[in-house]
PDB file of all heavy atoms in Angstrom:
ATOM      1  N   VAL A 598      10.759  18.153 -13.172  1.00 93.00           N
ATOM      2  CA  VAL A 598       9.922  18.196 -11.969  1.00 93.00           C
ATOM      3  C   VAL A 598       9.004  16.973 -11.926  1.00 93.00           C
ATOM      4  O   VAL A 598       8.876  16.304 -10.902  1.00 93.00           O
ATOM      5  CB  VAL A 598       9.117  19.509 -11.920  1.00 93.00           C
ATOM      6  CG1 VAL A 598       8.231  19.546 -10.684  1.00 93.00           C
ATOM      7  CG2 VAL A 598      10.075  20.696 -11.918  1.00 93.00           C
ATOM      8  N   MET A 599       8.382  16.678 -13.071  1.00 93.00           N
ATOM      9  CA  MET A 599       7.498  15.511 -13.123  1.00 93.00           C
ATOM     10  C   MET A 599       8.316  14.218 -12.967  1.00 93.00           C
ATOM     11  O   MET A 599       7.895  13.279 -12.299  1.00 93.00           O
ATOM     12  CB  MET A 599       6.735  15.434 -14.457  1.00 93.00           C
ATOM     13  CG  MET A 599       5.945  16.675 -14.821  1.00 93.00           C
ATOM     14  SD  MET A 599       4.699  17.148 -13.602  1.00 93.00           S
ATOM     15  CE  MET A 599       5.166  18.846 -13.345  1.00 93.00           C
ATOM     16  N   ALA A 600       9.480  14.192 -13.620  1.00 95.00           N
ATOM     17  CA  ALA A 600      10.310  12.980 -13.571  1.00 95.00           C
ATOM     18  C   ALA A 600      10.754  12.691 -12.144  1.00 95.00           C
ATOM     19  O   ALA A 600      10.771  11.549 -11.701  1.00 95.00           O
ATOM     20  CB  ALA A 600      11.526  13.140 -14.478  1.00 95.00           C
ATOM     21  N   ARG A 601      11.083  13.747 -11.420  1.00 95.00           N
ATOM     22  CA  ARG A 601      11.511  13.546 -10.040  1.00 95.00           C
ATOM     23  C   ARG A 601      10.407  12.875  -9.234  1.00 95.00           C
ATOM     24  O   ARG A 601      10.651  11.932  -8.475  1.00 95.00           O
ATOM     25  CB  ARG A 601      11.877  14.902  -9.420  1.00 95.00           C
ATOM     26  CG  ARG A 601      12.211  14.824  -7.956  1.00 95.00           C
ATOM     27  CD  ARG A 601      12.698  16.167  -7.409  1.00 95.00           C
ATOM     28  NE  ARG A 601      13.121  16.003  -6.027  1.00 95.00           N
ATOM     29  CZ  ARG A 601      12.291  16.083  -4.998  1.00 95.00           C
ATOM     30  NH1 ARG A 601      11.015  16.344  -5.194  1.00 95.00           N
ATOM     31  NH2 ARG A 601      12.744  15.906  -3.775  1.00 95.00           N
ATOM     32  N   SER A 602       9.168  13.347  -9.412  1.00 95.00           N
ATOM     33  CA  SER A 602       8.051  12.733  -8.677  1.00 95.00           C
ATOM     34  C   SER A 602       7.941  11.259  -9.001  1.00 95.00           C
ATOM     35  O   SER A 602       7.684  10.439  -8.119  1.00 95.00           O
ATOM     36  CB  SER A 602       6.726  13.393  -9.069  1.00 95.00           C
ATOM     37  OG  SER A 602       6.685  14.697  -8.615  1.00 95.00           O
ATOM     38  N   GLN A 603       8.102  10.927 -10.272  1.00 97.00           N
ATOM     39  CA  GLN A 603       7.974   9.530 -10.666  1.00 97.00           C
ATOM     40  C   GLN A 603       9.075   8.679 -10.036  1.00 97.00           C
ATOM     41  O   GLN A 603       8.830   7.576  -9.565  1.00 97.00           O
ATOM     42  CB  GLN A 603       8.047   9.404 -12.191  1.00 97.00           C
ATOM     43  CG  GLN A 603       6.789   9.860 -12.876  1.00 97.00           C
ATOM     44  CD  GLN A 603       5.597   9.041 -12.430  1.00 97.00           C
ATOM     45  OE1 GLN A 603       5.535   7.841 -12.631  1.00 97.00           O
ATOM     46  NE2 GLN A 603       4.656   9.687 -11.776  1.00 97.00           N
ATOM     47  N   LEU A 604      10.286   9.200 -10.058  1.00 98.00           N
ATOM     48  CA  LEU A 604      11.409   8.402  -9.556  1.00 98.00           C
ATOM     49  C   LEU A 604      11.358   8.270  -8.035  1.00 98.00           C
ATOM     50  O   LEU A 604      11.535   7.170  -7.504  1.00 98.00           O
ATOM     51  CB  LEU A 604      12.737   9.013 -10.020  1.00 98.00           C
ATOM     52  CG  LEU A 604      12.973   8.863 -11.537  1.00 98.00           C
ATOM     53  CD1 LEU A 604      14.125   9.749 -11.997  1.00 98.00           C
ATOM     54  CD2 LEU A 604      13.233   7.409 -11.921  1.00 98.00           C
ATOM     55  N   ILE A 605      11.084   9.358  -7.332  1.00 97.00           N
ATOM     56  CA  ILE A 605      11.009   9.203  -5.873  1.00 97.00           C
ATOM     57  C   ILE A 605       9.775   8.390  -5.508  1.00 97.00           C
ATOM     58  O   ILE A 605       9.791   7.644  -4.525  1.00 97.00           O
ATOM     59  CB  ILE A 605      11.068  10.534  -5.076  1.00 97.00           C
ATOM     60  CG1 ILE A 605       9.885  11.422  -5.380  1.00 97.00           C
ATOM     61  CG2 ILE A 605      12.361  11.266  -5.284  1.00 97.00           C
ATOM     62  CD1 ILE A 605       9.836  12.657  -4.494  1.00 97.00           C
ATOM     63  N   GLY A 606       8.729   8.505  -6.316  1.00 97.00           N
ATOM     64  CA  GLY A 606       7.536   7.679  -6.062  1.00 97.00           C
ATOM     65  C   GLY A 606       7.849   6.211  -6.224  1.00 97.00           C
ATOM     66  O   GLY A 606       7.443   5.374  -5.400  1.00 97.00           O
ATOM     67  N   GLY A 607       8.601   5.880  -7.258  1.00 98.00           N
ATOM     68  CA  GLY A 607       8.977   4.477  -7.466  1.00 98.00           C
ATOM     69  C   GLY A 607       9.853   3.974  -6.331  1.00 98.00           C
ATOM     70  O   GLY A 607       9.665   2.869  -5.815  1.00 98.00           O
ATOM     71  N   MET A 608      10.813   4.791  -5.925  1.00 98.00           N
ATOM     72  CA  MET A 608      11.710   4.372  -4.841  1.00 98.00           C
ATOM     73  C   MET A 608      10.943   4.224  -3.529  1.00 98.00           C
ATOM     74  O   MET A 608      11.182   3.295  -2.748  1.00 98.00           O
ATOM     75  CB  MET A 608      12.868   5.377  -4.700  1.00 98.00           C
ATOM     76  CG  MET A 608      13.826   5.330  -5.888  1.00 98.00           C
ATOM     77  SD  MET A 608      15.018   6.713  -5.906  1.00 98.00           S
ATOM     78  CE  MET A 608      16.132   6.233  -4.584  1.00 98.00           C
ATOM     79  N   THR A 609       9.997   5.123  -3.301  1.00 98.00           N
ATOM     80  CA  THR A 609       9.187   5.030  -2.080  1.00 98.00           C
ATOM     81  C   THR A 609       8.369   3.741  -2.075  1.00 98.00           C
ATOM     82  O   THR A 609       8.262   3.051  -1.058  1.00 98.00           O
ATOM     83  CB  THR A 609       8.242   6.251  -1.980  1.00 98.00           C
ATOM     84  OG1 THR A 609       9.022   7.432  -2.051  1.00 98.00           O
ATOM     85  CG2 THR A 609       7.457   6.235  -0.695  1.00 98.00           C
ATOM     86  N   MET A 610       7.798   3.432  -3.227  1.00 98.00           N
ATOM     87  CA  MET A 610       7.010   2.203  -3.325  1.00 98.00           C
ATOM     88  C   MET A 610       7.911   0.987  -3.138  1.00 98.00           C
ATOM     89  O   MET A 610       7.495  -0.023  -2.551  1.00 98.00           O
ATOM     90  CB  MET A 610       6.322   2.162  -4.694  1.00 98.00           C
ATOM     91  CG  MET A 610       5.059   1.357  -4.746  1.00 98.00           C
ATOM     92  SD  MET A 610       4.146   1.877  -6.236  1.00 98.00           S
ATOM     93  CE  MET A 610       2.924   0.578  -6.302  1.00 98.00           C
ATOM     94  N   GLY A 611       9.155   1.100  -3.609  1.00 98.00           N
ATOM     95  CA  GLY A 611      10.113   0.016  -3.402  1.00 98.00           C
ATOM     96  C   GLY A 611      10.460  -0.137  -1.926  1.00 98.00           C
ATOM     97  O   GLY A 611      10.639  -1.252  -1.420  1.00 98.00           O
ATOM     98  N   LEU A 612      10.510   0.991  -1.227  1.00 98.00           N
ATOM     99  CA  LEU A 612      10.759   0.938   0.218  1.00 98.00           C
ATOM    100  C   LEU A 612       9.576   0.278   0.934  1.00 98.00           C
ATOM    101  O   LEU A 612       9.750  -0.546   1.826  1.00 98.00           O
ATOM    102  CB  LEU A 612      10.995   2.363   0.721  1.00 98.00           C
ATOM    103  CG  LEU A 612      11.282   2.540   2.204  1.00 98.00           C
ATOM    104  CD1 LEU A 612      12.172   3.743   2.408  1.00 98.00           C
ATOM    105  CD2 LEU A 612      10.024   2.726   3.007  1.00 98.00           C
TER     106      LEU A 612
END
Side-chain angles (χ1 to χ4, degrees):
Chain A
V598 179
M599 305 302 127
R601 175 175 185 274
S602 292
Q603 285 300 298
L604 290 167
I605 63 173
M608 291 169 74
T609 305
M610 206 162 168
L612 180 150

